[in-house]
Amino acid sequence: MARTLFSGNEAVARGAWEAGVAVGVGYPGTPSTEVLENLVRYEGVRCEWAPNEKVAAEVAAGVSLAGGRVIVTMKHVGLNVAADPLFTLAYTGVGGGYVLFVADDPGMHSSQNEQDSRRYAVAAKVPMLEPADPAEALAMTRAAFEISEEFDVPVLVRSTTRVSHSKGVVEVDGARAQVQPQPYIKDPAKWVMVPANARRRRIDLEERLVRLAEHAELSGLNRVELRDRSLGVIVDGAAYRAVREALPDASVLKIGMVHPFPRDLVRAFAAEVESVAVVEELGPFVRDLVVQAGVAVREVPLPAWGEVTPAVVRAAFGVLPLEVRKVREGVPERPPLMCPGCPHRGVFWALKRTKAVVTGDIGCYTLGAAPPLAAMDSCICMGASVGMAHGASLVERERPVIGVIGDSTFAHSGITGLVHMAYNGSHGTIVVLDNRTTAMTGHQGNPISGVTLSGEHTSELDLEALARACGAGWVRTVDPFDLATTLAALKEAIAAPTLAVLIAKAPCALLEKRVKDPVAVDDDVCTACGSCIQLGCPAISKADSGNAQIDVTICVGCGQCEQVCRFGAIVPAGPACDLGGSAR
């Protein structure tokens, strides 16, 4: 038995591989992305990025139908997209084991909302397992496949950012289960959910849930740890580690299978301790189930949002906080900005000058809403920018309305919005920011970049042809590093008497670094007008003199600041900058 250091996501990948999974499929989304990026490295598994989570869940359903074990991965907001097939898959059940890994993000480290996916397990009537660390992530992923096949049901494995991205010691035995695909058996009564069949499977699902509930009561996935019996804490997921650190003497009932909920086990635990408290993130979920089981719960002031840390637990239970090092004073705030050389910067510079209402979307380019660019007015969910642009244009009469969406997001769920605009006679403008990758989650390929999860080049979606096929009457591609041309194209698109699609195409600055010399500021020419600083480039700042200054160590020479300087004060610096001025 070898011991190794795994993140939670690496452990899930390992667990799926050890379980003999045949296919992994998903859509990248922090904190879930690394599961497939690690699974693809194992032999004997085919891994694919899907255009969105619904497609991923449906591909997985096909694998399961044909008898293979499959894992499908996504972040919490993606589960909303995949909910449609998931709810019906609970009825049909599975062929080969079907595991859906979903990663929640308490604290919103990289998400637009906090979502409690535990409630999806209840709503969809499927079991859910919750690991607390990487070792459990591996073990529970393996167990999930067994449960899926034993009870003929998809199984959710829920992680959170703290579990997915933290490292822990994991024991691996190197063995991969030799799972032969189950023979395909034509069974329309199970798989064709017309109402007559669905009604029968609905009853069958309830019977499966009864058996699952009996399984949960006895499962080793739920664990009682008796210590000081004056306090018993019921806890699930990542909060378990926080409780163990903050309240090391407390007795604990650790819930690993949160649905179906082990009510009898909870009652038995409560009988062993003097008082019961519940510690969970994004609650009350477990708390309500404990109360429904007839157990009196000691109320503790836990927040309804964010992560549960040891400090939060100590505060909730009145335990003195640990001494921590004080934050150093005087450190300047560093708001997130687009990278030096980002092609999106030029687009948002131009958008700001159109004075349009800009409906934005999910991606790096959401930073276009932040000062100094401040050229985005909304960001709701994947693909929303297109539909919102149409909706806003039905009411807004004073300013043009422009929807902005990235390439991966456009393939995810923006295309249907564009079809809707064309179908309903919209004359609106959509800008597709095609930077040749899914940049925000770590440069995954997508149908527009034409790079697979395995790194193979495949067919690329022709955006211009697609836009025209959807019904756009004005379509053009521009280089967003050419600011004047980009602004002129935007104005032309706004004025077009038809649905217009502008494609701003240039590779992500981190994907394909342009080999150009940096630039610097000539102090004798700079008027301190601040136009270059308004680009929001991390390389540009204001010197004590008031003039602009450029950090040549991070400048990539993209040339955007040279274009906005009206006085010619930004000049090539060369690889060994020896300008006095404000270069540093």
Side-chain angles (χ1 to χ4, degrees):
M1 186 78 73
R3 304 177 79 213
T4 188
L5 203 59
F6 271 159
S7 70
N9 284 349
E10 290 171 326
V12 170
R14 177 74 188 194
W17 179 79
E18 290 186 3
V21 70
V23 175
V25 58
Y27 184 79
T30 305
S32 70
T33 309
E34 298 84 3
V35 172
L36 288 190
E37 290 182 331
N38 283 278
L39 184 60
V40 74
R41 299 172 183 169
Y42 291 100
E43 293 184 356
V45 185
R46 179 181 174 85
C47 292
E48 298 179 348
W49 289 130
N52 63 38
E53 295 83 358
K54 180 175 183 291
V55 173
E58 292 160 349
V59 170
V63 175
S64 179
L65 167 71
R69 286 189 169 184
V70 62
I71 185 169
V72 54
T73 71
M74 60 197 66
K75 68 182 297 182
H76 61 292
V77 288
L79 188 53
N80 302 324
V81 183
D84 195 1
L86 173 64
F87 275 60
T88 301
L89 282 168
Y91 282 36
T92 66
V94 303
Y98 187 113
V99 174
L100 192 155
F101 173 78
V102 58
D104 285 7
D105 189 17
M108 293 174 284
H109 298 281
S110 58
S111 306
Q112 66 270 43
N113 66 35
E114 284 183 332
Q115 181 175 303
D116 190 343
S117 294
R118 295 175 299 182
R119 299 184 185 279
Y120 262 110
V122 177
K125 299 181 181 296
V126 297
M128 171 175 277
L129 311 185
E130 274 199 279
D133 55 39
E136 286 194 346
L138 190 155
M140 289 191 181
T141 301
R142 288 195 62 151
F145 283 99
E146 300 297 331
I147 294 171
S148 176
E149 292 180 355
E150 180 179 352
F151 294 93
D152 189 20
V153 68
V155 177
L156 298 181
V157 175
R158 177 191 184 237
S159 177
T160 58
T161 303
R162 193 61 52 184
V163 175
S164 283
H165 287 175
S166 63
K167 290 273 189 175
V169 175
V170 177
E171 292 186 345
V172 295
D173 60 14
R176 172 168 161 83
Q178 299 304 309
V179 180
Q180 295 299 320
Q182 300 180 22
Y184 175 71
I185 301 174
K186 188 177 180 65
D187 188 356
K190 170 179 168 63
W191 286 99
V192 182
M193 285 302 96
V194 295
N197 291 337
R199 293 187 193 106
R200 284 191 288 270
R201 292 298 295 181
R202 175 72 180 85
I203 296 170
D204 186 77
L205 175 58
E206 289 300 322
E207 293 172 349
R208 283 177 277 157
L209 281 172
V210 170
R211 289 191 290 119
L212 277 162
E214 294 170 353
H215 177 84
E217 298 290 352
L218 303 174
S219 172
L221 298 171
N222 303 315
R223 184 171 73 239
V224 173
E225 301 172 1
L226 290 176
R227 301 183 187 87
D228 183 346
R229 303 197 180 205
S230 64
L231 172 63
V233 180
I234 300 176
V235 61
D236 67 327
Y240 169 75
R241 292 295 169 192
V243 168
R244 290 292 295 121
E245 182 173 335
L247 307 171
D249 297 327
S251 293
V252 169
L253 168 55
K254 181 185 177 300
I255 304 294
M257 188 172 188
V258 72
H259 187 257
F261 194 68
R263 296 172 188 267
D264 289 343
L265 181 61
V266 166
R267 295 187 188 104
F269 175 70
E272 296 285 345
V273 296
E274 295 177 17
S275 66
V276 170
V278 175
V279 175
E280 59 183 323
E281 294 176 327
L282 309 181
F285 175 81
V286 171
R287 177 200 167 281
D288 288 352
L289 293 170
V290 172
V291 171
Q292 290 169 21
V295 173
V297 174
R298 169 184 166 185
E299 297 297 335
V300 289
L302 289 168
W305 58 88
E307 293 187 293
V308 169
T309 64
V312 169
V313 176
R314 293 176 75 91
F317 285 84
V319 181
L320 291 175
L322 296 173
E323 288 190 14
V324 296
R325 190 169 56 186
K326 293 183 179 178
V327 176
R328 184 183 300 173
E329 296 182 354
V331 177
E333 294 185 3
R334 295 177 179 174
L337 294 170
M338 294 176 185
C339 302
C342 175
H344 301 333
R345 181 172 288 106
V347 175
F348 283 101
W349 175 88
L351 283 167
K352 192 171 184 179
R353 276 143 188 83
T354 66
K355 302 188 184 305
V357 175
V358 178
T359 57
D361 226 293
I362 306 294
C364 303
Y365 49 91
T366 309
L367 294 172
L373 290 167
M376 183 186 288
D377 296 282
S378 69
C379 175
I380 302 297
C381 64
M382 297 285 282
S385 62
V386 183
M388 288 186 69
H390 177 62
S393 68
L394 298 176
V395 179
E396 173 61 39
R397 293 289 179 266
E398 300 297 323
R399 298 191 295 170
V401 179
I402 301 175
V404 177
I405 187 168
D407 50 350
S408 182
T409 313
F410 184 64
H412 177 282
S413 49
I415 296 172
T416 46
L418 187 65
V419 171
H420 177 89
M421 292 181 77
Y423 172 62
N424 288 286
S426 173
H427 292 176
T429 300
I430 300 299
V431 178
V432 180
L433 303 173
D434 178 7
N435 66 352
R436 317 304 300 152
T437 189
T438 311
M440 187 172 70
T441 48
H443 293 131
Q444 291 76 31
N446 61 62
I448 295 175
S449 71
V451 179
T452 70
L453 177 53
S454 302
E456 299 165 341
H457 289 271
T458 182
S459 60
E460 296 182 16
L461 196 60
D462 185 333
L463 275 181
E464 286 200 5
L466 175 68
R468 292 191 179 94
C470 288
W474 186 101
V475 181
R476 186 171 300 173
T477 299
V478 296
D479 178 357
F481 287 107
D482 186 338
L483 302 188
T485 299
T486 300
L487 179 57
L490 268 177
K491 291 180 177 177
E492 190 175 330
I494 292 169
T498 180
L499 175 60
V501 174
L502 178 65
I503 302 160
K505 185 176 181 179
C508 170
L510 300 179
L511 188 70
E512 183 178 318
K513 294 183 179 179
R514 295 189 168 198
V515 185
K516 287 187 174 181
D517 289 342
V519 295
V521 176
D522 186 336
D523 261 351
D524 293 335
V525 182
C526 179
T527 64
C529 70
S531 295
C532 58
I533 293 175
Q534 290 303 308
L535 281 171
C537 176
I540 307 174
S541 60
K542 183 181 288 187
D544 292 340
S545 65
N547 284 359
Q549 63 179 4
I550 294 177
D551 185 345
V552 295
T553 61
I554 61 174
C555 172
V556 297
C558 70
Q560 294 180 75
C561 57
E562 293 175 86
Q563 296 177 59
V564 302
C565 180
R566 293 168 291 164
F567 306 101
I570 298 177
V571 296
C577 174
D578 59 357
L579 272 180
S582 299
R584 59 183 172 89

